[in-house]
Amino acid sequence: MYEERPSRLPGAVVWTNTPTGPGARPVLPDGCMDLLWSEGRLLVAGPDTRPYVPEGDPVRWAGVRFRPGRAPVLLGVPACELRDRRVELADLWGAAEVRRLRVRVDAAPDPAAALEQLALERAADTPPPDPLLGGLVAALQSGRPVGRTADELGLSTRQLHRRSLSAFGYGPKTLARILRMQRALAMAREGVPFAETATRTGYADQAHLARDVRELAGASLRQLLNEGG
């Protein structure tokens, strides 16, 4: 069973996932990165451009999902180096430090809360992300075109692309597609007809929505809704 709540870290979400049956649902691209704990392991989920399906037997997970652009500053690594990857936190922070953190999380009665505390402590020791990135995400979430957004932020498209690779793991056009798909999924879950969803989220038509969802999520919109994705 999947559960989540807002984190004390602004813009983040704390979540847990306890398996209730065989198999695991794909994790869809959402523009975010996660700090993960699972059965004594600490990992980082990089930004996805395709659905990610956990391998092996279902296990218990806890995570902190950071708002787009926040995790690279906390982790000390450009997002593009982690794109479509799950990596051990020890590969980024060193084995000795992560061993100490892992013991701390393992011993906690609530691993998700312990993981959140680690993120809060890390955030207190690192600079805030570039405020321009928040403006970029807000503009793309509202459906503004990338070129217009670059102009409004006072950047060339090349500068915007370079900053986006470091902060989000991919260029602003890919980020815009992923954020738009997530808006469409949220709207469709609320019962908005697919054709209206396509129009309201900036797709050319319902067929365009269907193609984009299948390319990014690996399934049709209706399949995702039926599976609770």
Side-chain angles (χ1 to χ4, degrees):
M1 182 174 64
Y2 177 85
E3 297 180 313
E4 66 176 42
R5 63 169 174 82
S7 172
R8 289 176 289 154
L9 185 66
V13 171
V14 179
W15 58 268
T16 58
N17 193 14
T18 304
T20 56
R25 291 177 181 168
V27 179
L28 304 184
D30 59 6
C32 300
M33 295 173 59
D34 295 59
L35 178 62
L36 306 171
W37 171 90
S38 179
E39 308 295 347
R41 298 173 66 198
L42 290 174
L43 306 98
V44 173
D48 292 323
T49 61
R50 56 180 181 263
Y52 172 79
V53 181
E55 298 178 351
D57 295 330
V59 294
R60 185 168 55 130
W61 289 91
V64 177
R65 181 175 303 115
F66 302 102
R67 69 175 185 260
R70 184 67 173 104
V73 177
L74 295 179
L75 299 173
V77 61
C80 54
E81 294 186 11
L82 303 177
R83 182 173 56 235
D84 292 318
R85 298 176 61 199
R86 270 56 179 170
V87 301
E88 299 286 342
L89 186 60
D91 293 342
L92 306 179
W93 288 2
E97 179 181 4
V98 172
R99 189 179 306 115
R100 176 179 60 82
L101 297 176
R102 186 177 64 241
V103 169
R104 177 176 157 187
V105 177
D106 286 348
D110 182 356
L115 204 61
E116 178 187 27
Q117 185 60 38
L118 295 184
L120 287 165
E121 293 170 5
R122 184 76 175 186
D125 292 334
T126 54
D130 185 347
L132 180 144
L133 299 176
L136 170 60
V137 173
L140 296 181
Q141 284 179 327
S142 70
R144 281 196 190 91
V146 171
R148 178 181 165 191
T149 299
D151 292 339
E152 291 174 348
L153 296 175
L155 298 173
S156 68
T157 53
R158 181 171 294 183
Q159 289 172 320
L160 185 61
H161 189 269
R162 184 172 62 249
R163 291 200 189 189
S164 293
L165 285 178
S166 179
F168 310 114
Y170 27 64
K173 290 185 178 180
T174 298
L175 177 62
R177 285 183 67 203
I178 289 171
L179 294 177
R180 181 172 60 178
M181 179 192 72
Q182 287 292 339
R183 293 199 311 276
L185 283 172
M187 196 170 292
R189 290 188 190 107
E190 294 175 355
V192 178
F194 291 174
E196 183 180 347
T197 292
T199 299
R200 290 172 58 181
T201 51
Y203 290 93
D205 51 30
Q206 186 175 335
H208 182 199
L209 166 63
R211 287 194 304 272
D212 228 38
V213 169
R214 185 168 288 280
E215 287 179 15
L216 291 170
S220 71
L221 184 54
R222 190 169 302 281
Q223 285 174 315
L224 294 175
L225 297 183
N226 290 340
E227 294 169 1

